[in-house]
PDB file of all heavy atoms in Angstrom:
ATOM      1  N   TRP A   1     -10.186 -20.954  45.967  1.00 95.00           N
ATOM      2  CA  TRP A   1      -9.789 -19.614  45.496  1.00 95.00           C
ATOM      3  C   TRP A   1     -10.959 -18.827  44.916  1.00 95.00           C
ATOM      4  O   TRP A   1     -10.894 -17.601  44.826  1.00 95.00           O
ATOM      5  CB  TRP A   1      -8.650 -19.737  44.478  1.00 95.00           C
ATOM      6  CG  TRP A   1      -7.432 -20.397  45.057  1.00 95.00           C
ATOM      7  CD1 TRP A   1      -6.901 -20.189  46.302  1.00 95.00           C
ATOM      8  CD2 TRP A   1      -6.602 -21.381  44.437  1.00 95.00           C
ATOM      9  NE1 TRP A   1      -5.789 -20.988  46.480  1.00 95.00           N
ATOM     10  CE2 TRP A   1      -5.589 -21.727  45.358  1.00 95.00           C
ATOM     11  CE3 TRP A   1      -6.614 -21.995  43.190  1.00 95.00           C
ATOM     12  CZ2 TRP A   1      -4.597 -22.664  45.071  1.00 95.00           C
ATOM     13  CZ3 TRP A   1      -5.631 -22.930  42.897  1.00 95.00           C
ATOM     14  CH2 TRP A   1      -4.629 -23.255  43.834  1.00 95.00           C
ATOM     15  N   THR A   2     -12.014 -19.533  44.507  1.00 94.00           N
ATOM     16  CA  THR A   2     -13.197 -18.845  43.981  1.00 94.00           C
ATOM     17  C   THR A   2     -14.343 -18.836  44.996  1.00 94.00           C
ATOM     18  O   THR A   2     -15.477 -18.533  44.644  1.00 94.00           O
ATOM     19  CB  THR A   2     -13.657 -19.484  42.657  1.00 94.00           C
ATOM     20  OG1 THR A   2     -13.854 -20.898  42.852  1.00 94.00           O
ATOM     21  CG2 THR A   2     -12.632 -19.277  41.555  1.00 94.00           C
ATOM     22  N   ARG A   3     -14.036 -19.183  46.247  1.00 95.00           N
ATOM     23  CA  ARG A   3     -14.966 -19.095  47.368  1.00 95.00           C
ATOM     24  C   ARG A   3     -16.208 -19.966  47.185  1.00 95.00           C
ATOM     25  O   ARG A   3     -17.329 -19.564  47.518  1.00 95.00           O
ATOM     26  CB  ARG A   3     -15.374 -17.647  47.650  1.00 95.00           C
ATOM     27  CG  ARG A   3     -14.227 -16.738  48.027  1.00 95.00           C
ATOM     28  CD  ARG A   3     -14.675 -15.398  48.575  1.00 95.00           C
ATOM     29  NE  ARG A   3     -15.173 -15.531  49.942  1.00 95.00           N
ATOM     30  CZ  ARG A   3     -16.444 -15.418  50.290  1.00 95.00           C
ATOM     31  NH1 ARG A   3     -17.379 -15.204  49.380  1.00 95.00           N
ATOM     32  NH2 ARG A   3     -16.810 -15.528  51.551  1.00 95.00           N
ATOM     33  N   LYS A   4     -16.020 -21.182  46.708  1.00 96.00           N
ATOM     34  CA  LYS A   4     -17.129 -22.131  46.694  1.00 96.00           C
ATOM     35  C   LYS A   4     -17.339 -22.667  48.109  1.00 96.00           C
ATOM     36  O   LYS A   4     -16.457 -22.605  48.959  1.00 96.00           O
ATOM     37  CB  LYS A   4     -16.829 -23.280  45.722  1.00 96.00           C
ATOM     38  CG  LYS A   4     -16.912 -22.872  44.260  1.00 96.00           C
ATOM     39  CD  LYS A   4     -16.798 -24.089  43.348  1.00 96.00           C
ATOM     40  CE  LYS A   4     -16.978 -23.691  41.888  1.00 96.00           C
ATOM     41  NZ  LYS A   4     -16.853 -24.877  40.992  1.00 96.00           N
ATOM     42  N   ASN A   5     -18.520 -23.240  48.355  1.00 98.00           N
ATOM     43  CA  ASN A   5     -18.779 -23.867  49.647  1.00 98.00           C
ATOM     44  C   ASN A   5     -17.850 -25.060  49.838  1.00 98.00           C
ATOM     45  O   ASN A   5     -17.687 -25.878  48.917  1.00 98.00           O
ATOM     46  CB  ASN A   5     -20.230 -24.371  49.713  1.00 98.00           C
ATOM     47  CG  ASN A   5     -21.240 -23.254  49.716  1.00 98.00           C
ATOM     48  OD1 ASN A   5     -21.056 -22.234  50.376  1.00 98.00           O
ATOM     49  ND2 ASN A   5     -22.328 -23.439  48.975  1.00 98.00           N
ATOM     50  N   TYR A   6     -17.250 -25.159  51.022  1.00 98.00           N
ATOM     51  CA  TYR A   6     -16.470 -26.363  51.322  1.00 98.00           C
ATOM     52  C   TYR A   6     -16.680 -26.764  52.775  1.00 98.00           C
ATOM     53  O   TYR A   6     -16.853 -25.928  53.659  1.00 98.00           O
ATOM     54  CB  TYR A   6     -14.983 -26.172  51.005  1.00 98.00           C
ATOM     55  CG  TYR A   6     -14.279 -25.048  51.739  1.00 98.00           C
ATOM     56  CD1 TYR A   6     -13.714 -25.245  53.002  1.00 98.00           C
ATOM     57  CD2 TYR A   6     -14.161 -23.791  51.158  1.00 98.00           C
ATOM     58  CE1 TYR A   6     -13.061 -24.217  53.667  1.00 98.00           C
ATOM     59  CE2 TYR A   6     -13.507 -22.753  51.813  1.00 98.00           C
ATOM     60  CZ  TYR A   6     -12.954 -22.973  53.068  1.00 98.00           C
ATOM     61  OH  TYR A   6     -12.314 -21.949  53.718  1.00 98.00           O
ATOM     62  N   LEU A   7     -16.687 -28.079  52.996  1.00 98.00           N
ATOM     63  CA  LEU A   7     -16.886 -28.645  54.330  1.00 98.00           C
ATOM     64  C   LEU A   7     -15.651 -29.445  54.707  1.00 98.00           C
ATOM     65  O   LEU A   7     -15.245 -30.357  53.981  1.00 98.00           O
ATOM     66  CB  LEU A   7     -18.121 -29.557  54.333  1.00 98.00           C
ATOM     67  CG  LEU A   7     -18.401 -30.286  55.652  1.00 98.00           C
ATOM     68  CD1 LEU A   7     -18.795 -29.290  56.752  1.00 98.00           C
ATOM     69  CD2 LEU A   7     -19.502 -31.330  55.464  1.00 98.00           C
ATOM     70  N   GLY A   8     -15.055 -29.107  55.850  1.00 97.00           N
ATOM     71  CA  GLY A   8     -13.904 -29.837  56.348  1.00 97.00           C
ATOM     72  C   GLY A   8     -14.330 -30.922  57.315  1.00 97.00           C
ATOM     73  O   GLY A   8     -15.136 -30.681  58.225  1.00 97.00           O
ATOM     74  N   LEU A   9     -13.812 -32.113  57.118  1.00 98.00           N
ATOM     75  CA  LEU A   9     -14.079 -33.250  57.994  1.00 98.00           C
ATOM     76  C   LEU A   9     -12.763 -33.705  58.604  1.00 98.00           C
ATOM     77  O   LEU A   9     -11.751 -33.745  57.925  1.00 98.00           O
ATOM     78  CB  LEU A   9     -14.715 -34.398  57.194  1.00 98.00           C
ATOM     79  CG  LEU A   9     -16.038 -34.073  56.493  1.00 98.00           C
ATOM     80  CD1 LEU A   9     -16.326 -35.096  55.402  1.00 98.00           C
ATOM     81  CD2 LEU A   9     -17.185 -34.040  57.505  1.00 98.00           C
ATOM     82  N   GLY A  10     -12.777 -34.029  59.884  1.00 97.00           N
ATOM     83  CA  GLY A  10     -11.551 -34.448  60.541  1.00 97.00           C
ATOM     84  C   GLY A  10     -10.970 -33.361  61.431  1.00 97.00           C
ATOM     85  O   GLY A  10     -11.427 -32.211  61.442  1.00 97.00           O
ATOM     86  N   LEU A  11      -9.946 -33.725  62.160  1.00 97.00           N
ATOM     87  CA  LEU A  11      -9.340 -32.863  63.177  1.00 97.00           C
ATOM     88  C   LEU A  11      -8.899 -31.516  62.602  1.00 97.00           C
ATOM     89  O   LEU A  11      -8.142 -31.456  61.632  1.00 97.00           O
ATOM     90  CB  LEU A  11      -8.127 -33.585  63.777  1.00 97.00           C
ATOM     91  CG  LEU A  11      -7.466 -32.914  64.979  1.00 97.00           C
ATOM     92  CD1 LEU A  11      -8.351 -33.042  66.212  1.00 97.00           C
ATOM     93  CD2 LEU A  11      -6.093 -33.525  65.244  1.00 97.00           C
ATOM     94  N   GLY A  12      -9.361 -30.420  63.213  1.00 96.00           N
ATOM     95  CA  GLY A  12      -8.887 -29.082  62.875  1.00 96.00           C
ATOM     96  C   GLY A  12      -9.292 -28.558  61.515  1.00 96.00           C
ATOM     97  O   GLY A  12      -8.852 -27.478  61.118  1.00 96.00           O
ATOM     98  N   SER A  13     -10.125 -29.276  60.783  1.00 96.00           N
ATOM     99  CA  SER A  13     -10.429 -28.866  59.409  1.00 96.00           C
ATOM    100  C   SER A  13     -11.408 -27.690  59.396  1.00 96.00           C
ATOM    101  O   SER A  13     -12.302 -27.584  60.227  1.00 96.00           O
ATOM    102  CB  SER A  13     -10.995 -30.040  58.610  1.00 96.00           C
ATOM    103  OG  SER A  13     -12.123 -30.581  59.260  1.00 96.00           O
ATOM    104  N   ALA A  14     -11.197 -26.799  58.426  1.00 96.00           N
ATOM    105  CA  ALA A  14     -11.993 -25.573  58.316  1.00 96.00           C
ATOM    106  C   ALA A  14     -13.087 -25.732  57.273  1.00 96.00           C
ATOM    107  O   ALA A  14     -12.956 -26.506  56.325  1.00 96.00           O
ATOM    108  CB  ALA A  14     -11.096 -24.399  57.950  1.00 96.00           C
ATOM    109  N   SER A  15     -14.158 -24.968  57.454  1.00 97.00           N
ATOM    110  CA  SER A  15     -15.297 -25.002  56.533  1.00 97.00           C
ATOM    111  C   SER A  15     -15.766 -23.589  56.223  1.00 97.00           C
ATOM    112  O   SER A  15     -15.599 -22.675  57.038  1.00 97.00           O
ATOM    113  CB  SER A  15     -16.472 -25.780  57.148  1.00 97.00           C
ATOM    114  OG  SER A  15     -16.109 -27.103  57.485  1.00 97.00           O
ATOM    115  N   LEU A  16     -16.342 -23.429  55.044  1.00 97.00           N
ATOM    116  CA  LEU A  16     -17.014 -22.184  54.657  1.00 97.00           C
ATOM    117  C   LEU A  16     -18.259 -22.583  53.871  1.00 97.00           C
ATOM    118  O   LEU A  16     -18.149 -23.067  52.742  1.00 97.00           O
ATOM    119  CB  LEU A  16     -16.103 -21.294  53.798  1.00 97.00           C
ATOM    120  CG  LEU A  16     -16.744 -19.991  53.308  1.00 97.00           C
ATOM    121  CD1 LEU A  16     -16.993 -19.032  54.463  1.00 97.00           C
ATOM    122  CD2 LEU A  16     -15.876 -19.308  52.256  1.00 97.00           C
ATOM    123  N   VAL A  17     -19.415 -22.416  54.480  1.00 97.00           N
ATOM    124  CA  VAL A  17     -20.677 -22.798  53.838  1.00 97.00           C
ATOM    125  C   VAL A  17     -21.643 -21.622  53.923  1.00 97.00           C
ATOM    126  O   VAL A  17     -21.977 -21.163  55.020  1.00 97.00           O
ATOM    127  CB  VAL A  17     -21.300 -24.047  54.502  1.00 97.00           C
ATOM    128  CG1 VAL A  17     -22.558 -24.467  53.744  1.00 97.00           C
ATOM    129  CG2 VAL A  17     -20.300 -25.201  54.545  1.00 97.00           C
ATOM    130  N   GLU A  18     -22.067 -21.143  52.772  1.00 96.00           N
ATOM    131  CA  GLU A  18     -22.991 -20.006  52.677  1.00 96.00           C
ATOM    132  C   GLU A  18     -22.491 -18.820  53.502  1.00 96.00           C
ATOM    133  O   GLU A  18     -23.244 -18.189  54.259  1.00 96.00           O
ATOM    134  CB  GLU A  18     -24.407 -20.416  53.113  1.00 96.00           C
ATOM    135  CG  GLU A  18     -24.955 -21.659  52.447  1.00 96.00           C
ATOM    136  CD  GLU A  18     -24.988 -21.603  50.921  1.00 96.00           C
ATOM    137  OE1 GLU A  18     -24.865 -20.494  50.372  1.00 96.00           O
ATOM    138  OE2 GLU A  18     -25.121 -22.665  50.290  1.00 96.00           O
ATOM    139  N   ASN A  19     -21.198 -18.536  53.358  1.00 96.00           N
ATOM    140  CA  ASN A  19     -20.548 -17.402  54.024  1.00 96.00           C
ATOM    141  C   ASN A  19     -20.501 -17.514  55.544  1.00 96.00           C
ATOM    142  O   ASN A  19     -20.319 -16.520  56.246  1.00 96.00           O
ATOM    143  CB  ASN A  19     -21.183 -16.075  53.610  1.00 96.00           C
ATOM    144  CG  ASN A  19     -20.805 -15.693  52.186  1.00 96.00           C
ATOM    145  OD1 ASN A  19     -19.635 -15.699  51.827  1.00 96.00           O
ATOM    146  ND2 ASN A  19     -21.805 -15.393  51.370  1.00 96.00           N
ATOM    147  N   VAL A  20     -20.649 -18.729  56.057  1.00 96.00           N
ATOM    148  CA  VAL A  20     -20.438 -18.989  57.480  1.00 96.00           C
ATOM    149  C   VAL A  20     -19.164 -19.809  57.614  1.00 96.00           C
ATOM    150  O   VAL A  20     -19.022 -20.861  56.997  1.00 96.00           O
ATOM    151  CB  VAL A  20     -21.631 -19.752  58.105  1.00 96.00           C
ATOM    152  CG1 VAL A  20     -21.344 -20.080  59.568  1.00 96.00           C
ATOM    153  CG2 VAL A  20     -22.907 -18.931  57.984  1.00 96.00           C
ATOM    154  N   ARG A  21     -18.233 -19.296  58.425  1.00 96.00           N
ATOM    155  CA  ARG A  21     -16.949 -19.966  58.613  1.00 96.00           C
ATOM    156  C   ARG A  21     -16.919 -20.648  59.981  1.00 96.00           C
ATOM    157  O   ARG A  21     -17.322 -20.053  60.991  1.00 96.00           O
ATOM    158  CB  ARG A  21     -15.808 -18.939  58.532  1.00 96.00           C
ATOM    159  CG  ARG A  21     -14.423 -19.570  58.512  1.00 96.00           C
ATOM    160  CD  ARG A  21     -13.324 -18.514  58.443  1.00 96.00           C
ATOM    161  NE  ARG A  21     -13.416 -17.683  57.260  1.00 96.00           N
ATOM    162  CZ  ARG A  21     -13.125 -18.099  56.026  1.00 96.00           C
ATOM    163  NH1 ARG A  21     -12.743 -19.351  55.826  1.00 96.00           N
ATOM    164  NH2 ARG A  21     -13.224 -17.278  55.000  1.00 96.00           N
ATOM    165  N   PHE A  22     -16.444 -21.891  60.002  1.00 96.00           N
ATOM    166  CA  PHE A  22     -16.311 -22.625  61.261  1.00 96.00           C
ATOM    167  C   PHE A  22     -15.232 -23.684  61.096  1.00 96.00           C
ATOM    168  O   PHE A  22     -14.841 -24.034  59.975  1.00 96.00           O
ATOM    169  CB  PHE A  22     -17.646 -23.250  61.684  1.00 96.00           C
ATOM    170  CG  PHE A  22     -18.317 -24.088  60.622  1.00 96.00           C
ATOM    171  CD1 PHE A  22     -18.183 -25.467  60.597  1.00 96.00           C
ATOM    172  CD2 PHE A  22     -19.099 -23.489  59.631  1.00 96.00           C
ATOM    173  CE1 PHE A  22     -18.805 -26.241  59.620  1.00 96.00           C
ATOM    174  CE2 PHE A  22     -19.726 -24.255  58.643  1.00 96.00           C
ATOM    175  CZ  PHE A  22     -19.576 -25.626  58.640  1.00 96.00           C
ATOM    176  N   SER A  23     -14.723 -24.189  62.223  1.00 96.00           N
ATOM    177  CA  SER A  23     -13.645 -25.176  62.190  1.00 96.00           C
ATOM    178  C   SER A  23     -13.895 -26.263  63.223  1.00 96.00           C
ATOM    179  O   SER A  23     -14.501 -26.007  64.275  1.00 96.00           O
ATOM    180  CB  SER A  23     -12.291 -24.524  62.485  1.00 96.00           C
ATOM    181  OG  SER A  23     -11.936 -23.596  61.488  1.00 96.00           O
ATOM    182  N   ASN A  24     -13.407 -27.454  62.918  1.00 96.00           N
ATOM    183  CA  ASN A  24     -13.448 -28.547  63.891  1.00 96.00           C
ATOM    184  C   ASN A  24     -12.421 -28.314  64.990  1.00 96.00           C
ATOM    185  O   ASN A  24     -11.465 -27.563  64.823  1.00 96.00           O
ATOM    186  CB  ASN A  24     -13.151 -29.886  63.203  1.00 96.00           C
ATOM    187  CG  ASN A  24     -14.383 -30.480  62.544  1.00 96.00           C
ATOM    188  OD1 ASN A  24     -15.469 -29.912  62.590  1.00 96.00           O
ATOM    189  ND2 ASN A  24     -14.211 -31.638  61.930  1.00 96.00           N
ATOM    190  N   THR A  25     -12.596 -28.996  66.089  1.00 96.00           N
ATOM    191  CA  THR A  25     -11.628 -28.925  67.174  1.00 96.00           C
ATOM    192  C   THR A  25     -10.249 -29.382  66.702  1.00 96.00           C
ATOM    193  O   THR A  25     -10.143 -30.274  65.854  1.00 96.00           O
ATOM    194  CB  THR A  25     -12.071 -29.796  68.370  1.00 96.00           C
ATOM    195  OG1 THR A  25     -11.071 -29.708  69.401  1.00 96.00           O
ATOM    196  CG2 THR A  25     -12.226 -31.265  67.976  1.00 96.00           C
ATOM    197  N   SER A  26      -9.201 -28.760  67.265  1.00 95.00           N
ATOM    198  CA  SER A  26      -7.825 -29.174  66.976  1.00 95.00           C
ATOM    199  C   SER A  26      -7.269 -30.054  68.086  1.00 95.00           C
ATOM    200  O   SER A  26      -6.087 -30.406  68.071  1.00 95.00           O
ATOM    201  CB  SER A  26      -6.935 -27.939  66.807  1.00 95.00           C
ATOM    202  OG  SER A  26      -7.337 -27.199  65.676  1.00 95.00           O
ATOM    203  N   ASP A  27      -8.116 -30.406  69.048  1.00 96.00           N
ATOM    204  CA  ASP A  27      -7.723 -31.245  70.187  1.00 96.00           C
ATOM    205  C   ASP A  27      -8.019 -32.703  69.844  1.00 96.00           C
ATOM    206  O   ASP A  27      -9.186 -33.101  69.755  1.00 96.00           O
ATOM    207  CB  ASP A  27      -8.510 -30.793  71.424  1.00 96.00           C
ATOM    208  CG  ASP A  27      -8.131 -31.564  72.690  1.00 96.00           C
ATOM    209  OD1 ASP A  27      -7.714 -32.734  72.579  1.00 96.00           O
ATOM    210  OD2 ASP A  27      -8.264 -30.983  73.779  1.00 96.00           O
ATOM    211  N   LEU A  28      -6.973 -33.489  69.640  1.00 96.00           N
ATOM    212  CA  LEU A  28      -7.152 -34.881  69.218  1.00 96.00           C
ATOM    213  C   LEU A  28      -7.978 -35.665  70.231  1.00 96.00           C
ATOM    214  O   LEU A  28      -8.856 -36.448  69.858  1.00 96.00           O
ATOM    215  CB  LEU A  28      -5.793 -35.558  68.994  1.00 96.00           C
ATOM    216  CG  LEU A  28      -5.841 -37.023  68.547  1.00 96.00           C
ATOM    217  CD1 LEU A  28      -6.591 -37.179  67.225  1.00 96.00           C
ATOM    218  CD2 LEU A  28      -4.426 -37.604  68.425  1.00 96.00           C
ATOM    219  N   LYS A  29      -7.720 -35.464  71.512  1.00 96.00           N
ATOM    220  CA  LYS A  29      -8.459 -36.182  72.556  1.00 96.00           C
ATOM    221  C   LYS A  29      -9.954 -35.872  72.462  1.00 96.00           C
ATOM    222  O   LYS A  29     -10.783 -36.781  72.523  1.00 96.00           O
ATOM    223  CB  LYS A  29      -7.917 -35.805  73.940  1.00 96.00           C
ATOM    224  CG  LYS A  29      -8.553 -36.557  75.109  1.00 96.00           C
ATOM    225  CD  LYS A  29      -7.834 -36.220  76.410  1.00 96.00           C
ATOM    226  CE  LYS A  29      -8.431 -37.005  77.579  1.00 96.00           C
ATOM    227  NZ  LYS A  29      -9.806 -36.571  77.908  1.00 96.00           N
ATOM    228  N   ALA A  30     -10.278 -34.589  72.300  1.00 96.00           N
ATOM    229  CA  ALA A  30     -11.692 -34.206  72.185  1.00 96.00           C
ATOM    230  C   ALA A  30     -12.323 -34.820  70.941  1.00 96.00           C
ATOM    231  O   ALA A  30     -13.462 -35.316  70.990  1.00 96.00           O
ATOM    232  CB  ALA A  30     -11.811 -32.682  72.145  1.00 96.00           C
ATOM    233  N   TYR A  31     -11.586 -34.795  69.816  1.00 96.00           N
ATOM    234  CA  TYR A  31     -12.134 -35.354  68.582  1.00 96.00           C
ATOM    235  C   TYR A  31     -12.412 -36.853  68.746  1.00 96.00           C
ATOM    236  O   TYR A  31     -13.462 -37.349  68.316  1.00 96.00           O
ATOM    237  CB  TYR A  31     -11.176 -35.119  67.412  1.00 96.00           C
ATOM    238  CG  TYR A  31     -11.777 -35.507  66.078  1.00 96.00           C
ATOM    239  CD1 TYR A  31     -12.530 -34.588  65.343  1.00 96.00           C
ATOM    240  CD2 TYR A  31     -11.637 -36.796  65.571  1.00 96.00           C
ATOM    241  CE1 TYR A  31     -13.130 -34.951  64.147  1.00 96.00           C
ATOM    242  CE2 TYR A  31     -12.225 -37.172  64.377  1.00 96.00           C
ATOM    243  CZ  TYR A  31     -12.976 -36.240  63.664  1.00 96.00           C
ATOM    244  OH  TYR A  31     -13.578 -36.612  62.482  1.00 96.00           O
ATOM    245  N   LEU A  32     -11.481 -37.553  69.357  1.00 97.00           N
ATOM    246  CA  LEU A  32     -11.646 -38.997  69.532  1.00 97.00           C
ATOM    247  C   LEU A  32     -12.802 -39.324  70.480  1.00 97.00           C
ATOM    248  O   LEU A  32     -13.318 -40.442  70.466  1.00 97.00           O
ATOM    249  CB  LEU A  32     -10.342 -39.625  70.055  1.00 97.00           C
ATOM    250  CG  LEU A  32      -9.153 -39.586  69.079  1.00 97.00           C
ATOM    251  CD1 LEU A  32      -7.909 -40.186  69.726  1.00 97.00           C
ATOM    252  CD2 LEU A  32      -9.479 -40.315  67.782  1.00 97.00           C
ATOM    253  N   GLU A  33     -13.211 -38.337  71.293  1.00 96.00           N
ATOM    254  CA  GLU A  33     -14.360 -38.527  72.186  1.00 96.00           C
ATOM    255  C   GLU A  33     -15.666 -38.081  71.533  1.00 96.00           C
ATOM    256  O   GLU A  33     -16.720 -38.056  72.170  1.00 96.00           O
ATOM    257  CB  GLU A  33     -14.124 -37.768  73.496  1.00 96.00           C
ATOM    258  CG  GLU A  33     -13.003 -38.376  74.344  1.00 96.00           C
ATOM    259  CD  GLU A  33     -12.651 -37.519  75.558  1.00 96.00           C
ATOM    260  OE1 GLU A  33     -13.185 -36.394  75.687  1.00 96.00           O
ATOM    261  OE2 GLU A  33     -11.830 -37.986  76.376  1.00 96.00           O
ATOM    262  N   GLY A  34     -15.576 -37.683  70.238  1.00 94.00           N
ATOM    263  CA  GLY A  34     -16.779 -37.331  69.503  1.00 94.00           C
ATOM    264  C   GLY A  34     -17.157 -35.873  69.552  1.00 94.00           C
ATOM    265  O   GLY A  34     -18.239 -35.489  69.086  1.00 94.00           O
ATOM    266  N   GLU A  35     -16.284 -35.026  70.109  1.00 94.00           N
ATOM    267  CA  GLU A  35     -16.547 -33.581  70.145  1.00 94.00           C
ATOM    268  C   GLU A  35     -15.925 -32.970  68.892  1.00 94.00           C
ATOM    269  O   GLU A  35     -14.823 -32.421  68.924  1.00 94.00           O
ATOM    270  CB  GLU A  35     -15.957 -32.971  71.416  1.00 94.00           C
ATOM    271  CG  GLU A  35     -16.548 -33.538  72.688  1.00 94.00           C
ATOM    272  CD  GLU A  35     -15.821 -33.048  73.939  1.00 94.00           C
ATOM    273  OE1 GLU A  35     -15.161 -31.987  73.876  1.00 94.00           O
ATOM    274  OE2 GLU A  35     -15.897 -33.748  74.964  1.00 94.00           O
ATOM    275  N   PHE A  36     -16.625 -33.059  67.777  1.00 93.00           N
ATOM    276  CA  PHE A  36     -16.048 -32.698  66.489  1.00 93.00           C
ATOM    277  C   PHE A  36     -15.923 -31.192  66.294  1.00 93.00           C
ATOM    278  O   PHE A  36     -14.880 -30.683  65.928  1.00 93.00           O
ATOM    279  CB  PHE A  36     -16.876 -33.289  65.347  1.00 93.00           C
ATOM    280  CG  PHE A  36     -17.060 -34.780  65.441  1.00 93.00           C
ATOM    281  CD1 PHE A  36     -18.300 -35.361  65.238  1.00 93.00           C
ATOM    282  CD2 PHE A  36     -15.984 -35.603  65.748  1.00 93.00           C
ATOM    283  CE1 PHE A  36     -18.464 -36.730  65.324  1.00 93.00           C
ATOM    284  CE2 PHE A  36     -16.141 -36.983  65.832  1.00 93.00           C
ATOM    285  CZ  PHE A  36     -17.388 -37.544  65.628  1.00 93.00           C
TER     286      PHE A  36
END
């Protein structure tokens, strides 16, 4: 809520680091093949 840096690990998890937003894949098959 105070916009600190956070890193999401695992399927579909979202991240916000230094005002850059990105998310992991939501495809379980892709994640299990290492395409995080």
